[in-house]
């Protein structure tokens, strides 16, 4: 059968994989770009309205929350840094030809992705707390990055595999060994592909740090819950908390989309 | 009820909600002619559910405070408690004021939590469940836990795991507290019914029996 | 070149994609039963012109009237018009999740309210006509390119259209299969179907066409009956094009 | 420049999007297949070991949990069904040419993906609880499917867009209108592409139902927490809970991978 | 055809991909300074043979000794051997994240411990030699295919290899650029470099090769100096192949 014909008739094996981060308003998706604008405007306007026209309790609330936001960011940033390190090692392990290393890395990914983050948090925080004593912030960061390291590993793996095999062959035939090839040739090219999904994971992680509130880490959500259960102002508190998260993730997803565009423009320098 | 507060109310091995307060209310119900149905709810939203009418009353070791009285109605008190400070066995602390600069844990927005916040210079840490606070204390992440004394004395410290590791340092002198059944403001129908039951239980001395059964004194 | 009673009237039509002018002030009138072949270099607007005739592309300026329906009148039901106009694509576009019979019967059943039995009887007649009566129950992937394209023609014919549009129907085919598709098209032409065909098959154009239209840069540069077109083209652009491809 | 040369030299704009579900052990990824086997064996063996050699407290624990597992599945199944309905509508809305519909659908996606699931759960459960009275199980299902509907919408959108435009043109040129085209031609083809990621979302959702434990819905994790809060056996409890989640998701991800293979084989019937 | 002092000794080499036998019992000896051109139909194993010479492919059976190093000895440092053997690919495979100068200097600096200044001086000499001294500071995407391939040759030469392997170095090029690359290769040949070249450029083969090897089905079917090879091929398979392409 004719090649062209075959191709046009086949149902392509498209793989859909929707990430857990925010919806990145990339330029190709005009609906999302306007939606971003609308959501951002809506969130900021609502926040302003509440603060100006209903200062009680909203002004009191917003004074209560900033240290929670700070903690949220701290946990997010430390976790993502650690997760990137774990992810790089995992990604390299996942593509390693050494069967043992490969199996360890793959099993780590399989197990982490098979257990709910919340359960992992409980486990690492309380269960392992019996054996090693670490401050709660550290435990939270370790638990988050242990989990996200697995996802990040898949990002690194995909990024590395996205570089054409010809690059490896060219480097190896010059005399570079496997690691030199990775370090001088593959990774410097792969980071462009890797950076946007890392940004995306950053946003997903920021959202998931809300789970550490259950470990009694005083993040944004925990602060909100404390305020609500004391003042009984549940509706007001969670409105505020949701708005703040929304504004933060919207800003971050805009930054990621700008980064994506920059990088894709750079491809042709 | 938030069934994570043994021995007052908790989920027993048969997965039924049980405990002192539960038996108490069942007895009260028998006396006053109503059958309480217990529903497990998370503590930090327990008052929200009352407001939205998901249930008629809260029987969850709710201490009667002035702030709470502003937001809801309470039955006649059915139990008297004080706040106990639990610390590791090795600690020499005798008074909560000695804990300045340390971190104390409590279940979120319980009177124990409020008691910690009242003392200047102590860092407070709030948990979803008091058990999680005990666990963190046991693991050395915090320096003490404040909670209602029956929970501390008669339950947690009886547990094999904690028996040799934790002790009550002191009872915090902040006046006695009383548990009451909380109701939505103006819900006099339920209020009267509950009060009638509690009165009957106390009159007949059933409360003493239950106390012996669940608390042991 | 003023037409008597055209079934297709394309008048002064322009079409822009962003900044690209795919069509510029094009006029085209097709008589019932006429066979028009459009040729021209790549990007000259052949496909665009064809696709405006059933409004798969909206035009930027001008007017198109097909079988009496003004395509851009707000009252016209474009889906009605499209039932009158069959279209065959370069890439076949059979529905891969249906058998050949399913491909042929779905539109008559759902759109014309035919019963399944009627539709299937007609479908089998059409498969006979395009020369693959034995393939009724297979799925498209099992067919060769030439067979797929013949099914696509039969599918269009199943709606009993008055006009058939073909956009390079043989360009995606291996050389040995081109003939079988052109044969089916020639047979259809002999039956009197009105046809507008974009193709690079000059043999087909010479034999079947009543008129050949040469496009370049979004304009119709020259039109003439095949005899004249191939032997005495007037426009230098046409001459150059014919030199290259013949 | 020569076309081939250009292609081989360019860094392709690969888009990496790592889903939140389990790691599906598809046949192409041998490391993951062995990892799946290893993880599954490890999980089952550990469970068996604990039950046989340390019956106290593990046998008591495992008797305590089954109805929690049931609730977890109930919430998951009802939520995914509702999410599929919401997702279909959202997906259609996201590709709609009607600007208003498109904007509504896109904004829904943008907002839902911008707010942590846990905050959404709190919001829908407590805050909206002030206005509408719903049983907690219903609130949990509504909250979960409201959130997952947005992700599912992206799955449907990607699935629909994966069908070549030629199919739409062929259907439209036969006289089908937009909706008939969608119903008779596009969706019947798109479901093959959509089904595996839906399976993946199912697993992700199952894991995320652990969050409803915070709302005191008696799911698997809640049952575990109840057991732990009475027995103070945190390590043992969370070990058990994690093992059960792991076994469930491993089985499900195997099923999804089998489904993926079946479907991709079917493409050529 | 027993060799005097071969720098490449391929003996009795076979190579299987799963069930496909890409090479079957191939022998090839190349003298220092010799230029060998390999031709043959697609899939005949030309690339595979070339790639075994620097172990980009592992062989299934046989032995390969390059410049005295047995490639499959456990003691051999394959990276050392590869520094001696330059390779040029059909698809150039320049490093797109480095300038031309970066491409040429990275390996000498990192692998031979050259200083940046030394390496750059040498790189500029090589760019001069391949005819693009002015492109030192641009990135590969800005170059034409022919320029890219010349940079790729210079990059391989920067390691001062004793042997150069070329795998269809001009197949991905537009016709007008093929000449400039072949010129560079011919110049290299005149300087006495040992070269093994897979190519379809018969003109190049005729002029530059000392010996032409014809492969088919994973075997060497015929080898001869170009004069004899093109005028009096012995094997019928060779005759047929030459008929087709000349
Ligand atoms: N969807 C589109 N968006 C933007 N430009 C388009 C689109 N379709 C066609 N064009 C442009 O319109 C012009 C005419 O295209 P058209 O496809 O009609 O040419 P054609 O004569 O059919 O060429 P070919 O022989 O290659 O099919 C071209 O410049 C093309 O790039
Ligand atoms: N990586 C691989 N995996 C499996 N089979 C391969 C691989 N590389 C080559 N082959 C097979 O080995 C045989 C020889 O391939 P090779 O690339 O050496 O041929 P060639 O002569 O270079 O062909 P061409 O002129 O097309 O480049 C072919 O049948 C090919 O399909
Ligand atoms: Mg065209
Ligand atoms: Mg080759």
């Amino acid at each position: 059968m004719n090649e062209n014909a075959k191709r046009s008739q086949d149902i392509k094996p498209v793989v859909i994989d929707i990430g857990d981060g925010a919806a990145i308003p990339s330029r190709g998706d005009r609906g999302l770009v306007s939606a971003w604008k609308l959501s951002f405007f809506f969130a900021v306007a609502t926040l302003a309205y509440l603060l100006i026209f209903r200062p009680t309790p909203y002004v009191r609330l917003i004074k209560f929350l900033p240290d929670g936001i700070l903690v949220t960011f701290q946990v997010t940033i430390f976790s993502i840094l650690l997760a990137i390190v774990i992810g790089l090692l995992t990604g390299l392990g996942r593509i390693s030809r050494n069967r043992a290393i490969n199996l360890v890395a793959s099993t780590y990914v399989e197990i982490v992705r098979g257990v709910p983050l919340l359960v992992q948090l409980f486990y690492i925080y309380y269960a392992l707390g019996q054996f090693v004593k670490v401050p709660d912030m550290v435990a939270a960061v370790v638990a988050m990055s242990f989990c996200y390291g697995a996802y990040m590993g898949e990002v690194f793996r995909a990024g590395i595999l996205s570089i054409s095999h010809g690059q490896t062959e060219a480097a190896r035939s010059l005399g570079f060994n496997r690691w030199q090839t990775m370090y001088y040739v593959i990774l410097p090219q792969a980071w462009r592909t890797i950076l946007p999904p890392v940004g995306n994971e950053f946003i997903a992680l920021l959202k998931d740090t809300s789970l550490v509130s259950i470990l009694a880490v005083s993040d944004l959500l925990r602060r909100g819950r404390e305020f609500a259960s004391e003042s009984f102002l549940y509706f007001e508190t969670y409105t505020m908390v949701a708005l703040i998260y929304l504004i933060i993730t919207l800003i971050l997803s805009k930054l990621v989309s700008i980064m994506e565009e920059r990088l894709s423009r750079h491809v042709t320098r | 009820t938030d069934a994570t507060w043994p021995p007052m109310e908790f989920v027993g091995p048969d997965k039924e909600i049980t405990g002192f307060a539960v038996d108490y209310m069942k007895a009260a119900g028998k006396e006053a002619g109503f059958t309480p149905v217990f529903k497990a709810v998370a503590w930090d939203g327990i008052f929200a559910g009352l407001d939205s009418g998901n249930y008629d009353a809260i029987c969850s070791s709710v201490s009667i405070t002035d702030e709470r009285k502003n937001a809801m109605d309470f039955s006649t008190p059915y139990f008297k408690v004080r706040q106990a400070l639990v610390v590791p066995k090795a600690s020499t602390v005798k008074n909560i004021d000695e804990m300045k600069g340390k971190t104390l844990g409590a279940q979120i927005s319980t009177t124990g939590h409020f008691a910690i916040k009242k003392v200047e210079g102590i860092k407070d840490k709030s948990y979803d469940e008091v058990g999680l606070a005990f666990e963190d204390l046991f693991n050395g992440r915090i320096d003490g836990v404040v909670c209602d004394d029956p929970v501390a004395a008669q339950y947690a410290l009886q547990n094999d795991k904690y028996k040799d590791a934790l002790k009550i340092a002191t009872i915090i002198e902040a006046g006695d507290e009383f548990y009451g059944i909380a109701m939505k403001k103006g819900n006099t129908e339920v209020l009267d019914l509950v009060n009638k039951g509690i009165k009957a239980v106390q009159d007949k001395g059933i409360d003493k029996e239950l106390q012996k059964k669940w608390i042991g004194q | 070149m003023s037409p008597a009673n055209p079934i297709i009237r394309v008048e002064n039509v322009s079409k822009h994609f962003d900044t690209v002018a795919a069509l510029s002030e094009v006029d085209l009138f097709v008589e019932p039963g006429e066979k028009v072949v459009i040729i021209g270099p790549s990007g000259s607007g052949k496909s665009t012109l064809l696709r405006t005739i059933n409004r798969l592309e909206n035009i930027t300026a001008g007017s198109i009237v097909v079988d009496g329906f003004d395509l851009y009148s707000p009252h016209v039901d474009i889906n009605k018009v499209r039932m009158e106009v069959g279209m065959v694509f370069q890439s076949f576009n059979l529905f891969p999740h249906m058998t050949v019979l399913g491909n042929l019967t779905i539109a008559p059943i759902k759109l014309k309210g035919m019963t399944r039995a009627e539709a299937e009887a007609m479908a089998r007649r059409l498969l006979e006509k395009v020369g693959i009566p034995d393939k009724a129950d297979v799925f498209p992937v099992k067919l060769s390119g030439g067979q797929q394209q013949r099914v696509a023609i039969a599918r269009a014919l199943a709606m009993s259209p008055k006009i058939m549009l073909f956009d390079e129907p043989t360009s995606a085919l291996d050389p040995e299969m081109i003939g079988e598709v052109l044969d089916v098209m020639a047979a259809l032409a002999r039956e009197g179907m009105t046809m507008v065909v974009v193709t690079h098959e000059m043999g087909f154009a010479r034999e079947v066409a009543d008129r050949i239209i040469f496009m370049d840069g979004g304009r119709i540069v020259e039109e003439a009956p095949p005899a004249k077109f191939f032997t005495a083209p007037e426009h230098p652009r046409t001459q150059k094009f014919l030199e290259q491809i013949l």
Side-chain angles (χ1 to χ4, degrees), chain A, chain B, chain C:
Chain A
M1 201 192 310
N2 177 293
E3 262 304 308
N4 272 328
K6 225 158 129 199
R7 224 173 294 139
S8 67
Q9 269 306 78
D10 271 11
I11 302 171
K12 297 155 235 135
V14 186
V15 176
I16 305 175
D17 215 345
I18 303 299
D20 193 32
I24 305 297
S26 54
R27 247 199 301 195
D29 192 341
R30 277 205 229 143
L32 220 45
V33 173
S34 351
W36 185 90
K37 286 185 193 143
L38 186 67
S39 312
F40 191 70
F41 175 78
F42 153 83
V44 172
T46 312
L47 190 64
Y49 170 83
L50 292 177
L51 290 177
I52 294 169
F53 293 100
R54 297 196 39 207
T56 347
Y58 287 103
V59 169
R60 194 153 60 91
L61 233 172
I62 206 157
K63 283 190 190 144
F64 196 82
L65 299 175
D67 58 341
I69 300 179
L70 193 69
V71 170
T72 291
F73 269 102
Q74 278 170 353
V75 174
T76 307
I77 288 169
F78 287 124
S79 303
I80 199 89
L81 290 179
L82 195 50
I84 286 175
V85 174
I86 299 174
L88 178 57
L89 295 178
T90 310
L92 291 176
R94 287 269 284 127
I95 54 175
S96 166
R97 288 207 257 163
N98 181 319
R99 277 189 63 89
I101 294 177
N102 191 311
L103 196 60
V104 169
S106 301
T107 306
Y108 161 61
V109 170
E110 188 75 70
I111 289 182
V112 166
R113 294 184 70 171
V115 177
L117 178 56
L118 185 55
V119 175
Q120 287 182 50
L121 284 179
F122 269 115
Y123 199 80
I124 294 179
Y125 193 85
Y126 287 115
L128 294 187
Q130 303 194 318
F131 306 115
V132 265
K133 288 184 188 156
V134 284
D136 49 4
M137 261 296 251
V138 175
V141 167
V142 167
M144 295 298 293
S145 47
F146 180 77
C147 177
Y148 267 79
Y151 293 92
M152 210 61 92
E154 296 299 271
V155 168
F156 274 95
R157 173 169 176 270
I160 290 168
L161 290 181
S162 76
I163 303 302
S164 114
H165 193 58
Q167 292 289 314
T168 304
E169 294 199 330
R172 297 304 305 274
S173 72
L174 284 171
F176 285 109
N177 66 28
R178 202 176 291 284
W179 294 110
Q180 289 168 326
T181 301
M182 192 54 75
Y183 184 76
Y184 294 119
V185 176
I186 306 302
L187 288 180
Q189 296 181 54
W191 73 267
R192 283 151 189 252
T193 322
I194 290 171
L195 218 50
V198 166
N200 219 337
E201 291 293 307
F202 182 86
I203 298 174
L205 201 151
L206 186 129
K207 292 197 297 166
D208 274 347
T209 54
S210 59
L211 299 190
V212 304
S213 71
I214 292 168
L215 307 183
V217 174
S218 310
D219 76 326
L220 174 55
L221 179 57
R222 185 88 202 163
R223 279 273 175 259
R225 290 170 68 185
E226 286 170 2
F227 188 90
S229 62
E230 210 173 312
S231 65
F232 310 117
L233 297 170
Y234 293 94
F235 180 76
E236 293 79 358
T237 308
Y238 290 126
T239 302
M240 189 61 124
V241 169
L243 278 177
I244 292 176
Y245 271 113
L246 185 58
I247 290 174
I248 293 174
T249 53
L250 284 176
I251 292 174
L252 289 175
S253 65
K254 190 70 181 179
L255 291 179
V256 171
S257 99
I258 290 171
M259 181 172 75
E260 269 179 358
E261 245 157 59
R262 284 265 169 89
L263 286 179
S264 71
R265 223 184 314 135
H266 259 253
V267 167
T268 43
R269 279 180 223 247
Chain B
T1 193
D2 170 28
T4 60
W5 198 247
M8 304 310 288
E9 51 269 328
F10 61 100
V11 179
D14 54 355
K15 286 187 259 190
E16 292 296 321
I17 296 172
T18 180
F20 170 80
V22 173
D23 281 0
Y24 198 113
M25 286 319 292
K26 281 184 181 153
K30 213 194 266 165
E31 299 300 326
F34 65 91
T35 319
V37 178
F38 290 88
K39 180 171 176 334
V41 180
W43 174 258
D44 79 330
I46 203 163
F47 300 116
L50 185 64
D51 236 19
S52 63
N54 283 340
Y55 29 85
D56 299 314
I58 300 170
C59 166
S60 192
S61 304
V62 184
S63 297
I64 302 170
T65 66
D66 290 341
E67 294 86 33
R68 286 177 180 161
K69 270 200 268 188
N70 286 336
M72 58 201 103
D73 288 342
F74 279 97
S75 70
T76 48
Y78 66 87
F79 194 71
K80 187 181 97 173
V81 289
R82 288 168 302 174
Q83 294 303 319
L85 171 62
V86 178
V87 294
K89 263 250 152 75
S91 168
T92 56
V93 171
K94 288 275 175 294
N95 188 312
I96 190 167
D97 294 327
E98 295 173 34
M99 300 296 287
K100 281 203 182 14
K102 301 278 177 59
T103 306
L104 296 186
Q107 185 171 5
I108 183 169
S109 298
T110 53
T111 42
H113 190 202
F114 299 150
I116 298 169
K117 286 213 252 185
K118 246 189 280 174
V119 185
E120 285 284 324
I122 298 183
K123 264 189 74 191
D124 69 293
K125 201 154 164 357
S126 65
Y127 293 84
D128 280 23
E129 292 155 22
V130 72
L132 299 179
F134 277 120
E135 187 69 11
D136 251 11
L137 175 61
F138 182 71
N139 289 338
R141 282 206 188 94
I142 55 176
D143 306 304
V145 170
V146 178
C147 65
D148 297 356
D149 61 342
V151 175
Q154 279 81 33
Y155 207 85
L157 300 187
Q158 302 298 315
N159 183 278
D160 287 344
K161 190 162 137 194
Y162 298 150
K163 207 155 52 185
D164 304 321
L166 308 177
K167 67 172 184 191
I168 294 182
T170 178
I171 300 297
I172 296 167
E173 286 310 329
D176 291 342
E177 280 179 33
F178 295 95
Y179 289 164
I181 307 295
M183 253 114 358
K184 196 171 180 171
K185 261 210 157 343
N187 192 348
T188 46
E189 187 193 339
V190 178
L191 183 64
D192 293 344
L193 213 55
V194 171
N195 278 342
K196 191 175 144 200
I198 291 176
K199 190 164 184 310
V201 167
Q202 285 173 350
D203 289 348
K204 288 192 179 174
I206 302 175
D207 56 337
K208 298 282 173 327
E209 283 169 36
L210 290 175
Q211 199 156 336
K212 202 165 283 163
K213 174 177 170 198
W214 289 105
I215 297 165
Q217 54 172 258
Chain C
M1 218 165 290
S2 171
N5 184 24
I7 189 166
I8 302 173
R9 277 176 177 276
V10 173
E11 274 177 291
N12 203 22
V13 160
S14 297
K15 162 79 185 172
H16 295 263
F17 291 106
D18 296 323
T19 55
V20 185
L23 294 178
S24 303
E25 296 159 11
V26 170
D27 290 303
L28 173 67
F29 302 90
V30 180
E31 300 291 318
E34 199 183 6
K35 291 106 193 64
V36 174
V37 166
I38 304 176
I39 65 175
S42 178
S44 57
K46 307 182 296 293
S47 299
T48 307
L49 174 57
L50 201 71
R51 292 156 58 85
T52 57
I53 295 174
N54 68 350
R55 234 183 99 178
L56 280 186
E57 304 284 0
N58 283 318
I59 59 178
T60 324
S63 88
I64 301 182
V65 180
V66 173
D67 195 26
F69 297 101
D70 178 351
L71 295 196
Y72 290 86
S73 149
H75 307 293
V76 85
D77 177 355
I78 187 66
N79 297 316
K80 279 262 147 44
V81 182
R82 284 180 180 152
M83 292 187 209
E84 311 272 274
V85 183
M87 181 144 190
V88 175
F89 301 87
Q90 176 177 348
S91 52
F92 326 148
N93 296 339
L94 294 184
F95 304 137
H97 58 300
M98 301 174 184
T99 61
V100 165
L101 212 58
N103 269 276
L104 264 61
T105 54
I106 176 123
I109 292 174
K110 302 296 175 191
L111 297 175
K112 294 191 144 179
M114 258 190 211
T115 65
R116 175 165 304 277
E118 285 170 357
E120 291 196 350
M122 184 193 57
R124 286 183 196 282
R125 274 199 309 280
L126 286 170
L127 286 177
E128 193 90 43
K129 191 159 152 182
V130 300
I132 38 175
D134 52 325
K135 300 291 185 189
D137 297 311
V138 304
F139 283 92
V141 269
K142 293 278 184 232
L143 300 178
S144 73
Q147 292 170 332
Q148 291 194 51
Q149 192 62 298
R150 285 184 281 160
V151 172
I153 295 173
R155 179 177 66 178
L157 292 176
M159 292 298 285
S160 316
K162 293 187 179 155
I163 302 168
M164 285 286 285
L165 309 176
F166 295 83
D167 190 0
E168 306 200 17
T170 58
S171 300
L173 296 177
D174 284 343
E176 66 269 29
M177 295 172 182
I178 292 177
E180 63 194 35
V181 172
L182 292 180
D183 287 349
V184 167
M185 290 168 63
L188 196 61
R190 281 193 298 275
E191 288 174 18
M193 175 66 76
T194 311
M195 289 164 68
V196 182
V197 183
V198 174
T199 186
H200 295 304
E201 296 295 325
M202 294 302 143
F204 177 85
R206 204 186 300 252
E207 278 166 39
V208 176
D210 295 320
R211 185 157 40 117
I212 292 182
I213 299 214
F214 177 72
M215 292 189 70
D216 189 31
R219 291 174 190 279
I220 294 183
V221 173
E222 179 156 4
E223 49 183 315
K228 171 152 188 304
F229 184 90
F230 286 108
T231 51
E234 282 174 6
H235 200 282
R237 190 70 194 78
T238 320
Q239 291 161 1
K240 191 158 159 255
F241 180 78
L242 287 176
E243 254 166 48
Q244 279 177 339
I245 61 160
L246 292 179

